[in-house]
Every structure is written in C-alpha cells, then in structure tokens.
Short mmCIF file of all heavy atoms in Angstrom, two decimals:
data_model
loop_
_atom_site.label_atom_id
_atom_site.label_comp_id
_atom_site.label_asym_id
_atom_site.label_seq_id
_atom_site.Cartn_x
_atom_site.Cartn_y
_atom_site.Cartn_z
N LEU A 1 0.83 -1.21 0.00
CA LEU A 1 0.00 0.00 0.00
C LEU A 1 0.86 1.26 0.00
O LEU A 1 0.56 2.24 -0.69
CB LEU A 1 -0.92 -0.01 1.22
CG LEU A 1 -1.94 1.14 1.30
CD1 LEU A 1 -3.02 0.95 0.26
CD2 LEU A 1 -2.54 1.23 2.68
N LYS A 2 1.94 1.23 0.76
CA LYS A 2 2.80 2.41 0.88
C LYS A 2 3.46 2.79 -0.43
O LYS A 2 3.95 3.93 -0.56
CB LYS A 2 3.87 2.16 1.95
CG LYS A 2 3.34 2.14 3.37
CD LYS A 2 4.46 1.80 4.36
CE LYS A 2 3.95 1.74 5.78
NZ LYS A 2 5.02 1.37 6.74
N LYS A 3 3.49 1.89 -1.39
CA LYS A 3 4.10 2.19 -2.68
C LYS A 3 3.19 3.05 -3.56
O LYS A 3 3.63 3.55 -4.60
CB LYS A 3 4.45 0.90 -3.41
CG LYS A 3 5.52 0.07 -2.71
CD LYS A 3 5.77 -1.23 -3.45
CE LYS A 3 6.83 -2.07 -2.73
NZ LYS A 3 7.07 -3.36 -3.43
N LEU A 4 1.93 3.20 -3.16
CA LEU A 4 0.95 3.95 -3.94
C LEU A 4 0.86 5.39 -3.47
O LEU A 4 1.14 5.70 -2.31
CB LEU A 4 -0.43 3.32 -3.84
CG LEU A 4 -0.59 1.85 -4.23
CD1 LEU A 4 -2.04 1.45 -4.09
CD2 LEU A 4 -0.10 1.60 -5.63
N ASP A 5 0.39 6.24 -4.35
CA ASP A 5 -0.07 7.57 -3.97
C ASP A 5 -1.56 7.43 -3.67
O ASP A 5 -2.35 7.20 -4.59
CB ASP A 5 0.16 8.57 -5.11
CG ASP A 5 1.63 8.77 -5.40
OD1 ASP A 5 2.41 8.80 -4.43
OD2 ASP A 5 2.00 8.88 -6.58
N PHE A 6 -1.93 7.53 -2.42
CA PHE A 6 -3.31 7.23 -2.05
C PHE A 6 -3.78 8.13 -0.91
O PHE A 6 -2.99 8.78 -0.23
CB PHE A 6 -3.43 5.77 -1.61
CG PHE A 6 -2.82 5.48 -0.26
CD1 PHE A 6 -3.60 5.52 0.89
CD2 PHE A 6 -1.47 5.20 -0.13
CE1 PHE A 6 -3.04 5.27 2.14
CE2 PHE A 6 -0.90 4.95 1.11
CZ PHE A 6 -1.69 4.99 2.24
N ILE A 7 -5.09 8.11 -0.72
CA ILE A 7 -5.71 8.69 0.47
C ILE A 7 -6.73 7.69 1.00
O ILE A 7 -7.07 6.71 0.32
CB ILE A 7 -6.40 10.05 0.20
CG1 ILE A 7 -7.58 9.86 -0.75
CG2 ILE A 7 -5.41 11.08 -0.31
CD1 ILE A 7 -8.49 11.07 -0.81
N VAL A 8 -7.21 7.94 2.21
CA VAL A 8 -8.25 7.12 2.82
C VAL A 8 -9.42 8.02 3.18
O VAL A 8 -9.24 9.06 3.82
CB VAL A 8 -7.74 6.39 4.08
CG1 VAL A 8 -8.87 5.61 4.75
CG2 VAL A 8 -6.58 5.47 3.73
N LEU A 9 -10.62 7.63 2.76
CA LEU A 9 -11.84 8.31 3.17
C LEU A 9 -12.62 7.37 4.07
O LEU A 9 -12.88 6.22 3.70
CB LEU A 9 -12.72 8.66 1.96
CG LEU A 9 -12.30 9.80 1.06
CD1 LEU A 9 -13.37 10.05 -0.01
CD2 LEU A 9 -12.05 11.08 1.84
N THR A 10 -12.98 7.84 5.26
CA THR A 10 -13.71 6.99 6.20
C THR A 10 -14.82 7.77 6.87
O THR A 10 -14.75 8.99 7.00
CB THR A 10 -12.76 6.40 7.26
OG1 THR A 10 -13.46 5.43 8.04
CG2 THR A 10 -12.20 7.47 8.17
N ILE A 11 -15.85 7.04 7.27
CA ILE A 11 -16.99 7.62 7.98
C ILE A 11 -16.83 7.31 9.46
O ILE A 11 -16.85 6.14 9.85
CB ILE A 11 -18.33 7.04 7.48
CG1 ILE A 11 -18.44 7.14 5.96
CG2 ILE A 11 -19.50 7.72 8.18
CD1 ILE A 11 -18.55 8.53 5.41
N ARG A 12 -16.66 8.32 10.27
CA ARG A 12 -16.52 8.13 11.72
C ARG A 12 -17.19 9.29 12.46
O ARG A 12 -17.24 10.41 11.96
CB ARG A 12 -15.05 8.07 12.13
CG ARG A 12 -14.27 6.85 11.65
CD ARG A 12 -14.66 5.59 12.41
NE ARG A 12 -13.87 4.43 11.98
CZ ARG A 12 -12.92 3.86 12.70
NH1 ARG A 12 -12.62 4.33 13.90
NH2 ARG A 12 -12.26 2.82 12.24
N ARG A 13 -17.65 9.01 13.67
CA ARG A 13 -18.19 10.05 14.53
C ARG A 13 -17.12 10.72 15.37
O ARG A 13 -17.23 11.88 15.72
CB ARG A 13 -19.26 9.46 15.45
CG ARG A 13 -20.56 9.12 14.74
CD ARG A 13 -21.59 8.49 15.67
NE ARG A 13 -22.90 8.47 15.04
CZ ARG A 13 -23.26 7.56 14.13
NH1 ARG A 13 -22.42 6.60 13.78
NH2 ARG A 13 -24.46 7.62 13.56
N ARG A 14 -16.06 9.99 15.70
CA ARG A 14 -15.04 10.49 16.62
C ARG A 14 -13.67 10.38 15.97
O ARG A 14 -12.98 9.36 16.08
CB ARG A 14 -15.10 9.70 17.93
CG ARG A 14 -16.44 9.84 18.67
CD ARG A 14 -16.59 8.81 19.76
NE ARG A 14 -15.49 8.85 20.72
CZ ARG A 14 -15.27 7.92 21.64
NH1 ARG A 14 -16.08 6.88 21.72
NH2 ARG A 14 -14.26 8.04 22.48
N ALA A 15 -13.27 11.44 15.30
CA ALA A 15 -12.00 11.42 14.58
C ALA A 15 -10.82 11.19 15.52
O ALA A 15 -9.90 10.43 15.19
CB ALA A 15 -11.82 12.72 13.80
N GLU A 16 -10.84 11.82 16.68
CA GLU A 16 -9.70 11.71 17.58
C GLU A 16 -9.53 10.28 18.08
O GLU A 16 -8.40 9.80 18.26
CB GLU A 16 -9.84 12.67 18.76
CG GLU A 16 -8.61 12.76 19.64
CD GLU A 16 -7.33 13.06 18.85
OE1 GLU A 16 -7.35 13.92 17.95
OE2 GLU A 16 -6.29 12.42 19.14
N ALA A 17 -10.64 9.58 18.31
CA ALA A 17 -10.55 8.17 18.72
C ALA A 17 -9.89 7.34 17.62
O ALA A 17 -9.11 6.42 17.91
CB ALA A 17 -11.94 7.63 19.03
N LEU A 18 -10.18 7.67 16.38
CA LEU A 18 -9.54 6.97 15.26
C LEU A 18 -8.04 7.25 15.24
O LEU A 18 -7.24 6.32 15.09
CB LEU A 18 -10.18 7.42 13.94
CG LEU A 18 -9.46 6.98 12.67
CD1 LEU A 18 -9.39 5.46 12.57
CD2 LEU A 18 -10.15 7.57 11.45
N TYR A 19 -7.65 8.51 15.39
CA TYR A 19 -6.23 8.85 15.36
C TYR A 19 -5.48 8.14 16.50
O TYR A 19 -4.36 7.65 16.30
CB TYR A 19 -6.05 10.35 15.47
CG TYR A 19 -6.70 11.14 14.36
CD1 TYR A 19 -7.25 12.40 14.60
CD2 TYR A 19 -6.79 10.62 13.07
CE1 TYR A 19 -7.86 13.12 13.58
CE2 TYR A 19 -7.41 11.33 12.06
CZ TYR A 19 -7.93 12.58 12.31
OH TYR A 19 -8.54 13.28 11.31
N GLN A 20 -6.09 8.09 17.67
CA GLN A 20 -5.46 7.41 18.80
C GLN A 20 -5.26 5.93 18.50
O GLN A 20 -4.23 5.34 18.84
CB GLN A 20 -6.29 7.60 20.06
CG GLN A 20 -6.27 9.02 20.60
CD GLN A 20 -7.19 9.19 21.80
OE1 GLN A 20 -7.82 8.24 22.26
NE2 GLN A 20 -7.28 10.41 22.30
N GLU A 21 -6.26 5.32 17.86
CA GLU A 21 -6.15 3.90 17.52
C GLU A 21 -5.07 3.66 16.48
O GLU A 21 -4.32 2.68 16.55
CB GLU A 21 -7.51 3.37 17.04
CG GLU A 21 -7.52 1.91 16.62
CD GLU A 21 -7.18 0.95 17.75
OE1 GLU A 21 -7.15 1.35 18.93
OE2 GLU A 21 -6.91 -0.22 17.44
N LEU A 22 -4.96 4.55 15.51
CA LEU A 22 -3.91 4.41 14.50
C LEU A 22 -2.53 4.52 15.15
O LEU A 22 -1.61 3.78 14.79
CB LEU A 22 -4.08 5.46 13.41
CG LEU A 22 -5.32 5.31 12.52
CD1 LEU A 22 -5.42 6.48 11.54
CD2 LEU A 22 -5.29 3.99 11.75
N ARG A 23 -2.39 5.43 16.09
CA ARG A 23 -1.10 5.56 16.79
C ARG A 23 -0.81 4.30 17.59
O ARG A 23 0.34 3.83 17.63
CB ARG A 23 -1.13 6.80 17.70
CG ARG A 23 -1.20 8.12 16.96
CD ARG A 23 -1.05 9.30 17.91
NE ARG A 23 -1.34 10.56 17.24
CZ ARG A 23 -2.48 11.22 17.33
NH1 ARG A 23 -3.47 10.75 18.11
NH2 ARG A 23 -2.66 12.35 16.67
N ARG A 24 -1.83 3.76 18.25
CA ARG A 24 -1.63 2.54 19.05
C ARG A 24 -1.16 1.40 18.16
O ARG A 24 -0.33 0.57 18.58
CB ARG A 24 -2.94 2.15 19.74
CG ARG A 24 -2.80 0.99 20.73
CD ARG A 24 -4.14 0.45 21.18
NE ARG A 24 -4.82 -0.25 20.09
CZ ARG A 24 -4.56 -1.52 19.75
NH1 ARG A 24 -3.63 -2.22 20.37
NH2 ARG A 24 -5.22 -2.08 18.75
N ARG A 25 -1.65 1.35 16.94
CA ARG A 25 -1.27 0.30 16.00
C ARG A 25 0.04 0.62 15.26
O ARG A 25 0.44 -0.13 14.38
CB ARG A 25 -2.39 0.09 14.97
CG ARG A 25 -3.67 -0.50 15.54
CD ARG A 25 -4.77 -0.57 14.49
NE ARG A 25 -5.98 -1.14 15.04
CZ ARG A 25 -6.30 -2.43 14.99
NH1 ARG A 25 -5.49 -3.28 14.37
NH2 ARG A 25 -7.43 -2.88 15.52
N LYS A 26 0.62 1.78 15.60
CA LYS A 26 1.84 2.23 14.92
C LYS A 26 1.60 2.45 13.42
O LYS A 26 2.45 2.13 12.56
CB LYS A 26 3.00 1.25 15.15
CG LYS A 26 3.31 1.04 16.64
CD LYS A 26 4.56 0.23 16.83
CE LYS A 26 4.80 -0.12 18.31
NZ LYS A 26 4.70 1.03 19.22
N LEU A 27 0.43 3.01 13.13
CA LEU A 27 0.07 3.36 11.76
C LEU A 27 -0.01 4.88 11.61
O LEU A 27 -0.87 5.41 10.91
CB LEU A 27 -1.28 2.72 11.39
CG LEU A 27 -1.33 1.19 11.39
CD1 LEU A 27 -2.74 0.70 11.15
CD2 LEU A 27 -0.37 0.61 10.35
N ASP A 28 0.92 5.56 12.26
CA ASP A 28 0.91 7.02 12.24
C ASP A 28 0.97 7.59 10.83
O ASP A 28 0.44 8.68 10.57
CB ASP A 28 2.11 7.56 13.05
CG ASP A 28 2.16 7.03 14.47
OD1 ASP A 28 2.30 5.81 14.62
OD2 ASP A 28 2.05 7.83 15.41
N PHE A 29 1.60 6.87 9.91
CA PHE A 29 1.74 7.37 8.55
C PHE A 29 0.38 7.59 7.88
O PHE A 29 0.26 8.36 6.93
CB PHE A 29 2.59 6.41 7.70
CG PHE A 29 1.87 5.16 7.27
CD1 PHE A 29 1.25 5.09 6.03
CD2 PHE A 29 1.80 4.06 8.10
CE1 PHE A 29 0.58 3.94 5.62
CE2 PHE A 29 1.14 2.91 7.71
CZ PHE A 29 0.53 2.85 6.47
N LEU A 30 -0.66 6.90 8.37
CA LEU A 30 -1.99 7.04 7.78
C LEU A 30 -2.67 8.35 8.17
O LEU A 30 -3.56 8.82 7.46
CB LEU A 30 -2.88 5.88 8.22
CG LEU A 30 -2.85 4.58 7.42
CD1 LEU A 30 -3.88 3.61 7.98
CD2 LEU A 30 -3.10 4.83 5.94
N ILE A 31 -2.27 8.92 9.29
CA ILE A 31 -3.02 10.05 9.85
C ILE A 31 -3.07 11.22 8.88
O ILE A 31 -4.11 11.87 8.71
CB ILE A 31 -2.44 10.47 11.21
CG1 ILE A 31 -2.69 9.35 12.24
CG2 ILE A 31 -3.05 11.79 11.69
CD1 ILE A 31 -2.07 9.58 13.60
N HIS A 32 -1.96 11.50 8.20
CA HIS A 32 -1.97 12.63 7.28
C HIS A 32 -2.56 12.27 5.91
O HIS A 32 -2.68 13.13 5.04
CB HIS A 32 -0.55 13.19 7.10
CG HIS A 32 0.36 12.34 6.27
ND1 HIS A 32 0.98 11.22 6.78
CD2 HIS A 32 0.73 12.43 4.97
CE1 HIS A 32 1.71 10.67 5.82
NE2 HIS A 32 1.58 11.37 4.71
N LYS A 33 -2.95 10.99 5.74
CA LYS A 33 -3.55 10.56 4.49
C LYS A 33 -5.05 10.30 4.62
O LYS A 33 -5.71 9.98 3.63
CB LYS A 33 -2.86 9.28 3.99
CG LYS A 33 -1.44 9.49 3.48
CD LYS A 33 -0.86 8.19 2.98
CE LYS A 33 0.45 8.41 2.23
NZ LYS A 33 0.24 9.05 0.92
N ILE A 34 -5.56 10.42 5.84
CA ILE A 34 -6.94 10.02 6.09
C ILE A 34 -7.83 11.25 6.26
O ILE A 34 -7.45 12.23 6.89
CB ILE A 34 -7.01 9.09 7.32
CG1 ILE A 34 -8.31 8.29 7.33
CG2 ILE A 34 -6.85 9.84 8.62
CD1 ILE A 34 -8.26 7.08 8.24
N PHE A 35 -9.01 11.17 5.66
CA PHE A 35 -10.00 12.23 5.77
C PHE A 35 -11.25 11.63 6.38
O PHE A 35 -11.79 10.64 5.87
CB PHE A 35 -10.30 12.84 4.40
CG PHE A 35 -9.11 13.51 3.77
CD1 PHE A 35 -8.20 12.78 3.02
CD2 PHE A 35 -8.89 14.87 3.95
CE1 PHE A 35 -7.09 13.39 2.45
CE2 PHE A 35 -7.78 15.49 3.38
CZ PHE A 35 -6.89 14.75 2.63
N VAL A 36 -11.70 12.22 7.48
CA VAL A 36 -12.82 11.67 8.24
C VAL A 36 -14.09 12.45 7.90
O VAL A 36 -14.14 13.67 8.06
CB VAL A 36 -12.55 11.74 9.75
CG1 VAL A 36 -13.73 11.15 10.53
CG2 VAL A 36 -11.26 11.00 10.09
N LEU A 37 -15.10 11.74 7.43
CA LEU A 37 -16.38 12.33 7.07
C LEU A 37 -17.43 11.93 8.09
O LEU A 37 -17.38 10.84 8.66
CB LEU A 37 -16.80 11.87 5.67
CG LEU A 37 -15.76 12.05 4.57
CD1 LEU A 37 -16.32 11.51 3.24
CD2 LEU A 37 -15.35 13.50 4.43
N GLU A 38 -18.40 12.79 8.29
CA GLU A 38 -19.45 12.51 9.27
C GLU A 38 -20.48 11.55 8.70
O GLU A 38 -20.77 11.56 7.50
CB GLU A 38 -20.12 13.82 9.71
CG GLU A 38 -19.21 14.73 10.50
CD GLU A 38 -19.93 15.95 11.05
OE1 GLU A 38 -21.15 16.08 10.80
OE2 GLU A 38 -19.28 16.75 11.73
N PRO A 39 -21.06 10.72 9.56
CA PRO A 39 -22.07 9.75 9.09
C PRO A 39 -23.40 10.43 8.80
O PRO A 39 -23.60 11.60 9.11
CB PRO A 39 -22.19 8.79 10.28
CG PRO A 39 -21.83 9.62 11.47
CD PRO A 39 -20.77 10.59 10.99
N GLY A 40 -24.28 9.65 8.17
CA GLY A 40 -25.64 10.13 7.96
C GLY A 40 -25.96 10.52 6.53
O GLY A 40 -27.10 10.83 6.20
N ASN A 41 -24.97 10.48 5.65
CA ASN A 41 -25.19 10.85 4.26
C ASN A 41 -24.47 9.85 3.37
O ASN A 41 -23.24 9.85 3.30
CB ASN A 41 -24.69 12.27 3.99
CG ASN A 41 -24.90 12.69 2.54
OD1 ASN A 41 -25.52 11.97 1.76
ND2 ASN A 41 -24.37 13.85 2.19
N LYS A 42 -25.22 9.01 2.68
CA LYS A 42 -24.58 7.98 1.85
C LYS A 42 -23.86 8.57 0.64
O LYS A 42 -23.10 7.86 -0.04
CB LYS A 42 -25.61 6.94 1.40
CG LYS A 42 -26.69 7.46 0.46
CD LYS A 42 -27.69 6.37 0.14
CE LYS A 42 -28.77 6.85 -0.81
NZ LYS A 42 -29.76 5.77 -1.11
#
C-alpha cells in the first residue's frame, strides 16, 4: 500500500478516537492521508 499515492476516506463520529487507535497500532503514517467524514449521508 505504501508504494501507492493514495488517500483514505472513512466515515466516523469520533476522529480523535480513530487517530489514537492508529497511533496505538503504529500506523501514524496514515493520519496525514486520512480524511474523516461525518455519518448520515450515503
């Protein structure tokens, strides 16, 4: 995956909880590539 130029779009209510989980998993590199959208709109 790291060989690609990519972004991640995800639906979450609590962005900070997601960032904390990514850090816990040592996936910090994803944080600047991820965009968190609010739920409720398909």
Side-chain angles (χ1 to χ4, degrees):
L1 185 71
K2 289 176 181 179
K3 295 177 181 179
L4 304 182
D5 295 321
F6 73 94
I7 65 167
V8 176
L9 286 185
T10 188
I11 308 292
R12 292 287 182 108
R13 287 178 167 80
R14 298 166 56 191
E16 188 52 43
L18 169 61
Y19 300 146
Q20 290 176 2
E21 178 62 13
L22 292 176
R23 293 187 189 101
R24 187 192 70 81
R25 292 175 180 267
K26 303 188 186 310
L27 297 175
D28 305 63
F29 76 95
L30 274 183
I31 293 175
H32 74 280
K33 289 182 170 289
I34 200 162
F35 297 86
V36 181
L37 308 179
E38 293 186 359
N41 179 7
K42 66 183 181 180

